[in-house]
Amino acid sequence: MIMKTMIRVHNLTYTYEKGRPPVLKDINLQIGEGEYIAIIGPNGCGKTTLIRHFNALLLPSAGEVQVGEFNTRETKHLREIRRKVGMAFQNADNQIVGMSVEEDVAFGPGNLGLPSAEVRRRVDQALATAGLTELRTRPPHTLSGGQKQRLALAGLLAMEPEFIVLDEPTASLDPESKKKVSQLLKTLNSQGIGIVHVTHSMDEATLADRVLVLDQGELVADGNPRDILSRVDWLKSLGLAPTYITELMWRLHQAGIDVNTSIFTIDSAVEEIASLLKHHKNSSSRAKLPGKVM
Ligand SMILES: Nc1ncnc2c1ncn2[C@@H]1O[C@H](COP(=O)(O)OP(=O)(O)OP(=O)(O)O)[C@@H](O)[C@H]1O
Ligand SMILES: [Mg+2]
């Protein structure tokens, strides 16, 4: 499949303070339209610094970042760049501006100078997608953490971005709210919106089509989740926690059992282990049958 490149990072090096070592070192990557990417890596490896380059919140110390047809250094295109690439952060409170949920979502499109019917259409659609329609009149400060994250996403959606970049949006959420945000990201991606999701959760990273791994400011892996997230020892050496399921399969494999180690879900693990056990049972009961010469 030929994909149009949406974000192109070329020899990106970034230093926060002159004279200090760079935080990002000569990074090269391309992100295609509509891709779902997870970025993982240990604390302080440069994930946030990297994604802040994707909508020109930061500009490279050396190298280039291109968003669609625009180089992020071209400040005259800042509005277009930010419209293409929406950004959501861990703390959704910082992004809330409205007195009610619907007012908050209307803020962005309202500022684009769109006709009010169009603003209303976008708000209705974004609230429905984010599952917030029933909460539309609520003051945002009364929402739960998970609802606030979905409100932040609805606000981005109403801008009809091509990409949404999220910096650990679920870090402080409970498992149920995490799941809802993940489901929402999947839905958005199925509607054609590209996703770049920085996460510490390997479970969340399994949802992506492609995983990027950063370590000490360098891009050390770029590939599909099956290949990258099944490298249990390597992930641990980077200080990352593999999923329980992957670790279980990996340990069984280390114990000499011939299991598939690229498995991430309970269902697949059960299927794999059940099939091994059935096979084992059948072959051992065959071995116990009294010898019958055919
Ligand atoms: N505003 C800043 N000024 C100076 N140094 C900074 C600044 N922000 C981040 N750094 C440093 O840059 C490096 C990369 O930080 P960054 O926040 O990008 O890492 P991260 O991978 O997002 O970490 P985490 O997983 O903890 O969120 C770290 O060493 C950090 O201390
Ligand atoms: Mg960070």
Side-chain angles (χ1 to χ4, degrees):
M1 189 173 61
I2 298 172
M3 225 180 322
K4 210 170 117 195
T5 301
M6 178 64 196
I7 299 173
R8 187 191 304 270
V9 176
H10 181 67
N11 294 349
L12 165 62
T13 292
Y14 186 78
T15 314
Y16 277 102
E17 297 157 47
K18 273 213 165 79
R20 304 272 306 158
V23 167
L24 296 177
K25 299 167 198 161
D26 203 22
I27 295 198
N28 285 287
L29 62 97
Q30 294 186 16
I31 298 177
E33 245 175 7
E35 274 197 281
Y36 190 144
I37 302 226
I39 301 184
I40 60 174
N43 286 125
C45 69
K47 302 178 295 295
T48 297
T49 308
L50 174 62
I51 61 164
R52 284 176 165 254
H53 281 82
F54 294 172
N55 77 347
L57 284 170
L58 293 175
L59 296 176
S61 304
E64 311 294 333
V65 175
Q66 183 103 11
V67 175
E69 62 272 42
F70 307 119
N71 187 312
T72 55
R73 293 185 196 282
E74 296 165 21
T75 42
K76 62 176 186 289
H77 296 306
L78 199 58
R79 273 176 83 102
E80 283 121 307
I81 290 171
R82 301 236 166 114
R83 260 167 77 177
K84 281 179 188 287
V85 180
M87 185 101 41
F89 302 98
Q90 182 177 335
N91 187 347
D93 282 317
N94 296 344
Q95 299 181 62
I96 292 171
V97 288
M99 300 297 282
S100 69
V101 164
E102 60 188 350
E103 194 186 313
D104 192 72
V105 177
F107 183 78
N111 271 350
L112 295 177
L114 299 167
S116 60
E118 171 62 7
V119 173
R120 222 170 306 123
R121 184 193 67 79
R122 288 188 181 203
V123 170
D124 288 348
Q125 197 169 337
L127 289 175
T129 307
L132 293 171
T133 304
E134 280 167 22
L135 302 177
R136 62 188 306 151
T137 56
R138 283 269 291 273
H141 72 268
T142 66
L143 301 184
S144 71
Q147 290 165 340
K148 280 183 191 163
Q149 259 320 336
R150 285 187 281 131
L151 173 58
L153 283 171
L156 293 179
L157 272 184
M159 300 295 283
E160 302 197 335
E162 293 178 34
F163 252 89
I164 292 183
V165 178
L166 308 105
D167 196 0
E168 301 193 46
T170 64
S172 53
L173 303 186
D174 61 89
E176 200 48 43
S177 307
K178 273 189 207 280
K179 220 168 150 187
K180 279 195 180 151
V181 171
S182 293
Q183 280 164 350
L184 177 54
L185 295 183
K186 269 286 179 203
T187 305
L188 300 184
N189 188 238
S190 69
Q191 293 173 358
I193 299 177
I195 306 284
V196 175
H197 183 182
V198 171
T199 178
H200 274 107
S201 155
M202 300 304 117
D203 277 312
E204 289 179 348
T206 62
L207 302 174
D209 304 322
R210 184 173 152 207
V211 177
L212 307 178
V213 188
L214 280 187
D215 186 30
Q216 298 183 33
E218 292 182 45
L219 183 62
V220 293
D222 176 350
N224 76 52
R226 284 191 183 279
D227 294 339
I228 290 180
L229 301 174
S230 57
R231 295 192 214 161
V232 168
D233 283 350
W234 180 69
L235 291 175
K236 285 185 171 175
S237 75
L238 292 177
L240 299 172
T243 70
Y244 289 121
I245 298 292
T246 320
E247 180 149 17
L248 171 68
M249 302 313 271
W250 174 255
R251 293 233 195 142
L252 287 171
H253 188 261
Q254 297 291 85
I257 296 170
D258 185 20
V259 284
N260 178 356
T261 53
S262 304
I263 279 181
F264 306 120
T265 64
I266 292 189
D267 288 347
S268 314
V270 167
E271 208 174 288
E272 174 80 358
I273 294 170
S275 120
L276 274 174
L277 289 175
K278 274 187 203 150
H279 182 73
H280 177 72
K281 201 171 153 206
N282 291 343
S283 51
S284 55
S285 59
R286 257 202 309 276
K288 276 190 224 135
L289 286 176
K292 187 173 160 196
V293 180
M294 305 294 284

